[in-house]
Amino acid sequence: MWIIANWKSNKTIAEALDWISQIGPQIPKSEKLRVIVCPTFDALSEVKKAIIVGNFPLLVGAQDLSPFGTGAYTGEEPVQTLSQFIDFVIVGHSERRQNFGETDEMIAKKVVQALDNNITPLVCVQDENTPVPEGCKLVVFEPVFAIGTGNPDTPENADEIAKKLKEKYGDGLEVLYGGSVNSQNVKGFISKPNISGVLVGNASLDAEEFVKICKNCAL
Ligand code: 13P
């Protein structure tokens, strides 16, 4: 079961460390639970350090990465430097597709970068027709209408899309759901047979609420 906090463009380093110190000791220690936090790039180093020092059951992810490796690509974050801190990366979020012109081709390149460097990519898909790049074993179904609106999809529909994705790409594909997930509705999604976890935006910013989400998933 994956529970992933996507902070998007939020939290200073001080706020990030405060969150880690509150969350860390409260994450249920369970073999089947993989809890990941995805801060802004500038907080990655401090967040990673705090997790190691506290010995917390938390992994670190990035929210994006460069489609290129190291070299002359001003402003980009290559996987080779990110991998100092991360085990995991979100790729192709609909906010990047909408606001930064990210295309399926760029997303496929980013997935290659991640896989070649032993970083697990989580590809965001908007429905069962969004292409999933080769080698990608983890996707998240995030319908645009449900993102940041307080209006989640139904667990039944999310499960149906997850099932279609598995039919298309094989049973080895794990599918998560994202879009207005909170501590009240998370169980409805994770109890569905084709859904392997959740990607949480707004509700992950509040440490107490995020702990509740984790505890509800561990039950
Ligand atoms: P919200 O949980 O704020 O709807 O965001 C979902 C999302 O985009 C996670 O990546």
Side-chain angles (χ1 to χ4, degrees):
M1 180 71 50
W2 302 80
I3 307 171
I4 303 167
N6 177 10
W7 287 351
K8 308 189 179 182
S9 298
N10 292 291
K11 291 195 189 292
T12 62
I13 289 175
E15 287 165 348
L17 293 180
D18 186 50
W19 188 96
I20 298 289
S21 67
Q22 284 189 60
I23 295 265
Q26 297 194 69
I27 299 283
K29 287 202 167 89
S30 157
E31 289 281 298
K32 60 176 189 137
L33 213 57
R34 266 170 296 190
V35 184
I36 302 177
V37 57
C38 302
T40 55
F41 288 128
D42 51 293
L44 282 174
S45 165
E46 291 295 321
V47 162
K48 178 73 178 176
K49 234 185 283 172
I51 290 170
I52 292 172
V53 169
N55 193 25
F56 299 137
L58 264 173
L59 295 169
V60 181
Q63 300 172 17
D64 187 29
L65 82 170
S66 173
F68 304 106
T70 48
Y73 305 102
T74 302
E76 284 297 307
E77 298 282 344
V79 68
Q80 291 82 358
T81 58
L82 286 174
S83 61
Q84 300 173 98
F85 315 115
I86 64 168
D87 296 300
F88 174 91
V89 64
I90 298 171
V91 180
H93 195 283
S94 59
E95 288 157 7
R96 295 212 55 82
R97 295 178 195 255
Q98 277 167 18
N99 301 318
F100 304 98
E102 200 154 293
T103 62
D104 290 332
E105 289 71 32
M106 282 161 76
I107 289 160
K109 282 188 185 168
K110 291 179 181 198
V111 166
V112 170
Q113 287 292 325
L115 291 174
D116 283 354
N117 289 275
N118 296 318
I119 301 297
T120 303
L122 168 67
V123 172
C124 303
V125 304
Q126 285 69 57
D127 55 42
E128 71 273 27
N129 299 317
T130 309
V132 175
E134 212 182 313
C136 175
K137 293 275 170 248
L138 188 65
V139 300
V140 56
F141 166 52
E142 287 210 319
V144 173
F145 73 82
I147 297 179
T149 59
N151 178 29
D153 203 343
T154 62
E156 289 69 31
N157 191 55
D159 190 54
E160 190 55 36
I161 303 282
K163 186 164 165 251
K164 285 184 184 160
L165 283 160
K166 281 169 175 279
E167 280 165 7
K168 202 163 166 183
Y169 293 103
D171 216 30
L173 184 75
E174 287 192 275
V175 185
L176 320 187
Y177 169 76
S180 297
V181 171
N182 58 35
S183 63
Q184 306 286 312
N185 62 25
V186 69
K187 277 205 110 167
F189 291 103
I190 57 145
S191 57
K192 289 291 173 202
N194 297 294
I195 297 181
S196 303
V198 285
L199 179 60
V200 189
N202 271 330
S204 76
L205 294 173
D206 182 69
E208 222 171 280
E209 171 68 2
F210 190 68
V211 167
K212 275 191 207 158
I213 291 173
C214 295
K215 287 188 173 162
N216 284 347
C217 290
L219 291 175

